[in-house]
Amino acid sequence: MSLTLELIERFTAIVGEKYALRDKQDIEPYLVEPRDKFGGKTSLVLRPAQVGEVSAILKLATETGTAIIPQGGNTGLVGGQVPDESGDQIILSLSRLNAIRSIDTSGNLAIVEAGVVLQKLQEAAEQAGRLFPLSLGSEGSCQIGGNLSSNAGGTAVLAYGNTRELCLGVEVVLPTGEILNDLRTVKKDNTGYDLKDLFVGAEGTLGVITAAVMKLFPLPRGKGVAYAGLASPEDALKLLSLAQTHAGSSLTGFELMPRIGVEFSVAHTDGVRDPLQQPHNWYVLIDISSSRSAEDARETIEAILTEAFEAGLVEDATIAESTAQEKSFWHMREAMSEAQKPEGGSIKHDISIPVARIPDFIAEADAAVLHVIPGARIVSFGHMGDGNLHYNISQPVGADKQAFLDRWVEVNKSVHDIVRAYEGSISAEHGIGQLKRKELSETKSPVALDLMRRIKKSFDPAGIMNPGKVI
């Protein structure tokens, strides 16, 4: 439906003039996403502060057939939070629903609203003597509602799972305006369908998550972070197995990085340096979190590295001697994606592969990409411990950026065909959004796609919730 002035006034009345943005300058930040790959238009951004306001907005939207685009911290990488070019879709910003309603240290959980910034929850949990383990490069601006809607991953999935595994219950406003209060605070509940799992990872296509019950954990009593240079992904895989044997559940991070990625981070990120004196083909970042003590974490990481050196798996390594050094090691890894920007165009892949097949995948995918674009610079890095790689490709030196980016679909197909052959996923933690919608239809089975469409139609018969995304 066309977004007329009369309709804008009706939606504005729900939140008040102050929180209904109409000015182009005020709206612009809501239309710009991190990769500048998707753009759209809108005449209205609504910023409700209460669940009742969200309910009234969605009820009116269903009655009038007005499309609603839910948006959290606007850090999504697949265009799921961006409206189309029609100008008739309304952005619904959840940033004012930002209360941490409660923290229960006995039950190890927090009830938080969708607009709570991830870092704020991390800090509040730590002040209460607890850990909220979800950790992302965008944690200073991404919001819990967006984390849930995209089922965000991050660096701690190896030990704690994706956002879905960290959520016990949700409060959701349905497209009809009905409010589902499913803020369950028990870990065992076998009373029928687990409805929260329909909304976690749905990217705002079924309803709007307004609050959630999130799991907390005891704070580790000791941390150990090591940075090691290796010859190959095969050696990294063997090192992962060795680390798991020594550390068990204390292994909270195992990140794989190529030499070129380290070079990009060092060259383009302030305060980043390579802590090893000589270059190596590959690197791993090992993170240990001990429930006992700092000494235990140190002993564990030393035992891992000692055995790795004896087995010839590690060429050189260093252990962080302070919290500042730990952060600097992680900063190098977290800066790797942004550090590609100054190198020109970058074609991205967020894929997952069975862990045991990662070395084979890298070899096969590298060969395929270089066949398509000779001279391409492959920056394959990520969460080796859970099988999730950010298989990114920077343009050849001196190449035309736009001509390179124009081959995005062609390069994606060459990589994703191999992902499918390895029975992996074309989207490990970023979601589908607009970017991968067509590929999803080519990847999912007809039965799975039919079920997804039937669920969508059942929850959102008017088709107002984030249209054009996922399916």
Side-chain angles (χ1 to χ4, degrees):
M1 182 174 181
S2 178
L3 196 55
T4 62
L5 180 60
E6 178 192 2
L7 196 51
I8 288 173
E9 294 291 350
R10 291 177 68 185
F11 279 107
T12 296
I14 295 172
V15 298
E17 288 283 350
K18 183 177 180 180
Y19 300 110
L21 308 183
R22 303 196 208 182
D23 184 82
K24 271 189 175 182
Q25 193 170 354
D26 293 334
I27 289 173
E28 184 61 28
Y30 296 86
L31 301 176
V32 180
E33 50 88 32
R35 289 181 177 169
D36 296 323
K37 190 169 178 62
F38 299 98
K41 299 175 184 176
T42 187
S43 304
L44 185 62
V45 175
L46 298 175
R47 301 183 63 231
Q50 300 173 12
V51 177
E53 292 175 348
V54 177
S55 173
I57 289 167
L58 294 194
K59 183 178 180 182
L60 178 58
T62 291
E63 290 173 356
T64 58
T66 305
I68 300 293
I69 312 299
Q71 189 177 107
N74 194 15
T75 61
L77 298 175
V78 291
Q81 74 277 32
V82 181
D84 66 15
E85 292 285 348
S86 69
D88 292 328
Q89 299 181 338
I90 294 174
I91 292 177
L92 178 65
S93 169
L94 281 299
S95 59
R96 293 182 64 228
L97 275 83
N98 58 9
I100 297 177
R101 295 182 186 176
S102 64
I103 290 181
D104 176 2
T105 55
S106 296
N108 284 318
L109 54 87
I111 301 179
V112 299
E113 292 182 345
V116 171
V117 171
L118 172 55
Q119 186 174 336
K120 180 181 176 183
L121 177 54
Q122 293 169 340
E123 292 169 351
E126 186 172 359
Q127 289 171 8
R130 293 294 181 267
L131 170 73
F132 183 65
L134 183 64
S135 182
L136 313 170
S138 60
E139 61 195 29
S141 53
C142 68
Q143 298 171 9
I144 294 299
N147 298 151
L148 287 162
S149 291
S150 61
N151 188 27
T155 57
V157 172
L158 171 62
Y160 299 101
N162 284 45
T163 310
R164 185 187 305 278
E165 283 73 51
L166 297 174
C167 179
L168 284 176
V170 292
E171 174 186 84
V172 180
V173 180
L174 303 178
T176 57
E178 297 169 284
I179 300 171
L180 170 66
N181 187 334
D182 196 28
L183 293 172
R184 294 179 292 179
T185 58
V186 294
K187 293 184 178 179
K188 289 185 174 181
D189 185 351
N190 278 336
T191 54
Y193 304 131
D194 193 346
L195 297 176
K196 77 173 188 300
D197 280 343
L198 285 171
F199 301 98
V200 177
E203 301 185 49
T205 60
L206 301 180
V208 176
I209 296 173
T210 51
V213 182
M214 307 304 295
K215 297 177 186 177
L216 304 179
F217 299 83
L219 278 171
R221 294 183 178 178
K223 289 280 287 182
V225 180
Y227 176 84
L230 311 93
S232 68
E234 288 81 3
D235 287 342
L237 182 62
K238 293 173 185 176
L239 179 58
L240 171 62
S241 179
L242 192 156
Q244 290 172 322
T245 299
H246 277 276
S249 60
S250 296
L251 182 64
T252 44
F254 195 95
E255 300 288 305
L256 178 70
M257 300 168 285
R259 177 64 197 172
I260 191 172
V262 170
E263 290 174 348
F264 285 177
S265 288
V266 170
H268 303 300
T269 310
D270 291 341
V272 168
R273 67 176 187 86
D274 185 348
L276 300 181
Q277 292 187 348
Q278 300 298 323
H280 302 270
N281 291 335
W282 291 87
Y283 300 83
V284 296
L285 193 61
I286 303 172
D287 192 281
I288 301 292
S289 300
S290 173
S291 61
R292 297 185 181 91
S293 65
E295 292 77 14
D296 178 64
R298 177 81 182 200
E299 289 171 2
T300 301
I301 215 158
E302 286 179 348
I304 292 168
L305 292 177
T306 297
E307 188 170 337
F309 273 117
E310 292 173 352
L313 301 178
V314 170
E315 296 174 338
D316 195 9
T318 184
I319 301 174
E321 297 293 344
S322 65
T323 301
Q325 278 194 332
E326 291 173 1
K327 289 181 178 179
S328 72
F329 288 2
W330 274 107
H331 187 40
M332 174 185 288
R333 157 61 186 88
E334 290 163 349
M336 207 157 281
S337 186
E338 280 294 309
Q340 285 187 264
K341 284 188 176 181
E343 296 290 333
S346 177
I347 297 176
K348 312 285 190 179
H349 305 85
D350 164 45
I351 57 94
S352 62
I353 295 293
V355 173
R357 305 296 305 280
I358 285 176
D360 295 336
F361 167 80
I362 290 174
E364 190 171 343
D366 285 3
V369 167
L370 293 173
H371 177 74
V372 174
I373 303 183
R377 294 172 292 168
I378 300 167
V379 186
S380 177
F381 66 97
H383 322 302
M384 187 175 193
D386 60 51
N388 174 199
L389 293 179
H390 300 295
Y391 191 84
N392 297 346
I393 302 155
S394 285
Q395 69 181 60
V397 175
D400 179 79
K401 179 178 178 179
Q402 191 55 54
F404 173 76
L405 292 177
D406 286 345
R407 303 185 71 180
W408 188 293
V409 173
E410 179 186 4
V411 174
N412 271 182
K413 184 178 187 310
S414 68
V415 173
H416 288 163
D417 283 351
I418 300 170
V419 171
R420 294 184 188 100
Y422 280 69
E423 298 185 330
S425 171
I426 64 168
S427 180
E429 61 180 1
H430 293 163
I432 299 298
Q434 301 177 59
L435 181 64
K436 299 180 181 179
R437 192 178 68 161
K438 184 175 184 296
E439 285 193 274
L440 181 70
S441 68
E442 298 168 351
T443 300
K444 287 283 188 183
S445 73
V447 173
L449 285 169
D450 182 55
L451 284 172
M452 290 171 69
R453 293 190 182 101
R454 284 154 65 182
I455 290 169
K456 167 71 172 173
K457 189 171 183 179
S458 175
F459 277 85
D460 182 26
I464 66 158
M465 294 305 308
N466 217 4
K469 316 297 168 48
V470 186
I471 54 174

